[in-house]
């Protein structure tokens, strides 16, 4: 038993986009027939550069589980993958059927933990480079696999579980909260999103995104013809401008532009590129509302627009289908050092 496959989790309904993306990235890396090369691909892909996958696990083939004793085959599969893991994550698809499996996995977990300990497998080694995943696809089958702690989602099931803050005027606030966690590490947040910095929020009403920035003590211009929650205006940190987000320009360069306007993705991608190209802001986070069909192609089109607008200059772009996104992806575009494309680096040629 080996981890010869890549298991990617995504939002239900986005399996096609996930497959299209991984095929495109494999081709970019020069890997063909990636079914056989799942393990190598899984080691060389950079998770954070993928848009649609929520989690990336190198996994075994589907393991059939006898009803009488599910634990023994899982422990045997785990032992084939290693002895020391940072965590044990028992997971299932994020669907109603998947969730119903928790009636099985909850009582199973303590038995599995005891059996792993008895087999000499650690699942709480803070220094271990990998986590152990047991991903149930039904009561009688699961994948057993591993994720690299430094190259995967830090959230079980790839789901950023964030509490809805009571003071925020809208649930959309969770999108920006997740984006800031996803795209910036703690050090970057401290440096690039510091108290006293300035921001524009385009399409701000009723103010969920503005609320996130206000919490971080930024000074915000909230641009929208719609109303902004008066509690935000009372903070003294928010100015409301009833203006068109496509026409608004800051009087002088600011630190951030965030944008949640419901508009065509290519128009938003062009707008965000312009803000960076003209130096109106340094960092930007924006939502790209995807069409029902050809969602992967639309992501590619937006990337091309950004590259056409900014190709000559250094820019940094990441896009992610966040847990709090539905028919949309969230992008982070900044004036900072660019990353190279996925490379074949250590992928071995097919024997
Ligand atoms: C999804 S809502 C934004 C929610 C907001 N981010 C929050 O957290 O509360 C989209 C907003 O974009 C605004 N909008 C759409 N087109 C706009 C434009 N051209 N200029 C300014 N605002 C626009 C709408 O009025 C609407 O309030």
């Amino acid at each position: 038993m080996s981890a010869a496959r890549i298991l990617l989790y995504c939002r239900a309904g986005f399996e096609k986009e996930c497959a299209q993306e991984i095929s495109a990235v494999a081709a970019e890396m020069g890997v063909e027939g990636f079914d056989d090369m799942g393990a190598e691909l899984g080691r060389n892909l950079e998770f954070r550069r993928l848009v649609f996958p929520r989690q990336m696990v190198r996994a075994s083939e589907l393991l059939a589980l006898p009803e009488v004793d599910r634990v023994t085959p899982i422990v045997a599969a785990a032992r084939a993958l290693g002895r020391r893991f940072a965590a044990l994550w028992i997971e299932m698809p994020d669907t109603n059927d998947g969730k119903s499996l928790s009636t099985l996995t909850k009582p199973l977990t303590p038995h599995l933990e005891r059996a792993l300990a008895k087999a000499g497998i650690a699942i709480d080694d803070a220094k271990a480079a990998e986590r152990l995943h047991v991903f149930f696809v039904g009561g009688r089958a699961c994948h057993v696999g591993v994720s690299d702690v430094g190259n995967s989602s830090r959230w079980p099931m790839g789901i950023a579980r964030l509490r809805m803050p009571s003071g925020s005027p809208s649930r959309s606030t969770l999108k920006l909260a997740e984006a800031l966690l996803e795209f910036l590490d703690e050090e970057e947040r401290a440096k690039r999103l510091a108290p006293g910095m300035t921001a524009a929020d385009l399409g701000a009403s009723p103010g969920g995104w503005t609320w996130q920035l206000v919490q971080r003590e930024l000074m915000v211009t909230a641009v929208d013809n719609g109303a902004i929650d008066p509690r935000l205006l009372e903070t003294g940190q928010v100015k409301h401008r009833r203006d068109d987000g496509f026409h608004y320009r800051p009087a002088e360069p600011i630190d951030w532009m965030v944008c949640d306007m419901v508009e065509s993705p290519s128009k938003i991608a062009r707008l965000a590129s312009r803000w960076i190209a003209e130096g109106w802001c340094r960092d930007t986070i924006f939502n790209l509302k995807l069409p029902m069909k050809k969602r992967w192609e639309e992501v590619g089109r937006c990337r091309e627009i950004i590259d056409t607008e900014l190709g000559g200059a250094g820019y940094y772009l990441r896009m992610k289908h966040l847990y709090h996104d539905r028919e949309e992806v969230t992008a982070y575009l900044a004036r900072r050092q660019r990353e190279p494309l996925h490379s074949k680096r250590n992928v071995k040629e097919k024997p």
Side-chain angles (χ1 to χ4, degrees):
M1 178 82 53
S2 68
R5 293 168 180 256
I6 318 180
L7 182 61
L8 298 168
Y9 313 174
C10 67
R11 185 182 192 90
F14 284 77
E15 298 80 2
K16 185 176 122 198
E17 286 71 20
C18 203
Q20 284 174 302
E21 180 174 17
I22 203 71
S23 305
V25 173
E28 194 183 289
M29 291 166 76
V31 177
E32 279 176 43
F34 68 92
D35 269 354
D36 303 337
M37 299 197 57
E40 286 302 319
L41 249 191
R43 256 183 221 107
N44 286 278
L45 282 174
E46 278 178 80
F47 173 73
R48 64 200 197 102
R49 309 269 298 277
L50 300 175
V51 181
F52 288 99
R54 277 182 189 170
Q55 183 57 289
M56 180 170 83
V57 172
R58 298 194 303 278
S60 63
E61 283 173 22
L62 203 57
L63 190 65
L65 301 173
E67 214 165 326
V68 283
D69 175 17
R70 294 181 174 88
V71 166
T72 304
I74 296 175
V75 172
R79 196 162 35 197
L81 296 174
R83 294 292 160 124
R84 304 202 73 78
F85 299 101
L88 165 68
W89 285 358
I90 296 181
E91 302 171 305
M92 62 278 300
D94 182 32
T95 58
N96 287 338
D97 283 350
K99 280 177 199 141
S100 69
L101 288 169
S102 64
T103 54
L104 165 90
T105 57
K106 276 213 177 96
L108 185 82
T109 302
H111 293 292
L112 183 56
E113 285 173 348
R114 270 197 300 276
L116 287 166
K118 213 167 147 200
I121 298 172
I123 52 164
D124 57 356
D125 180 351
K127 292 204 190 94
E130 293 177 333
R131 299 181 204 96
L132 179 64
H133 294 251
V134 181
F135 188 90
F136 282 86
V137 296
R140 302 288 302 275
C142 70
H143 288 281
V144 179
V146 292
S147 63
D148 292 335
V149 172
N151 189 25
S152 59
S153 167
R154 73 178 105 153
W155 305 94
M157 284 172 64
I159 294 178
R161 299 223 179 260
L162 304 177
R163 209 153 35 91
M164 174 63 197
S166 59
S168 170
S170 71
R171 280 197 73 77
S172 286
T173 199
L174 294 175
K175 253 189 286 181
L176 186 59
E178 185 183 354
L180 293 171
L181 288 175
E182 173 67 33
F183 297 132
L184 304 176
D185 63 28
E186 211 178 325
E187 203 178 301
E188 288 167 332
R189 283 196 297 277
K191 206 170 95 196
R192 300 182 86 89
L193 201 66
M197 284 186 175
T198 47
D201 180 359
L202 309 183
S205 169
W209 285 32
T210 293
W211 187 88
Q212 284 293 330
L213 300 169
V214 164
Q215 289 305 297
R216 292 170 187 274
E217 297 179 46
L218 271 74
M219 304 299 290
V220 187
T221 303
V223 182
D224 202 308
N225 277 318
I228 299 296
D229 189 317
R231 286 171 302 174
L232 283 171
L233 302 175
E234 282 159 20
T235 61
Q237 286 169 251
V238 181
K239 265 194 237 148
H240 183 190
R241 284 279 299 264
R242 291 186 190 275
D243 205 342
D244 184 333
F246 288 95
H247 293 155
Y248 171 79
R249 310 280 172 262
E252 52 188 56
I254 56 176
D255 297 294
W256 280 86
M257 184 276 273
V258 297
C259 172
D260 192 22
M261 294 191 290
V262 182
E263 254 296 348
S264 87
S266 45
K267 253 180 107 176
I268 300 289
R270 209 163 279 122
L271 179 69
S273 304
R274 178 121 199 257
W275 272 74
I276 295 291
E278 302 280 353
W280 297 335
C281 70
R282 190 193 57 226
D283 293 68
T284 170
I285 285 180
F286 49 98
N287 241 239
L288 298 171
K289 318 282 174 194
L290 298 178
M292 287 300 282
K293 289 184 182 164
K294 303 210 171 197
R295 296 184 285 209
W296 168 243
E297 288 81 350
E298 193 63 39
V299 165
R301 203 171 359 260
C302 290
R303 273 198 178 126
E304 273 169 29
I305 289 170
I306 293 166
D307 200 51
T308 305
E309 304 283 331
L310 295 171
Y315 73 91
Y316 175 97
L317 173 66
R318 282 182 55 202
M319 292 185 185
K320 201 84 193 167
H321 191 205
L322 302 173
Y323 174 66
H324 293 94
D325 282 335
R326 289 173 182 269
E327 298 287 324
E328 63 207 333
V329 293
T330 302
Y332 169 54
L333 177 65
R335 193 179 273 280
R336 54 193 274 188
Q337 207 183 353
R338 189 178 182 170
E339 286 182 314
L341 292 173
H342 283 284
S343 71
K344 202 173 164 185
R345 284 179 304 148
N346 307 316
V347 177
K348 287 189 206 112
E349 294 297 338
K350 223 172 157 181

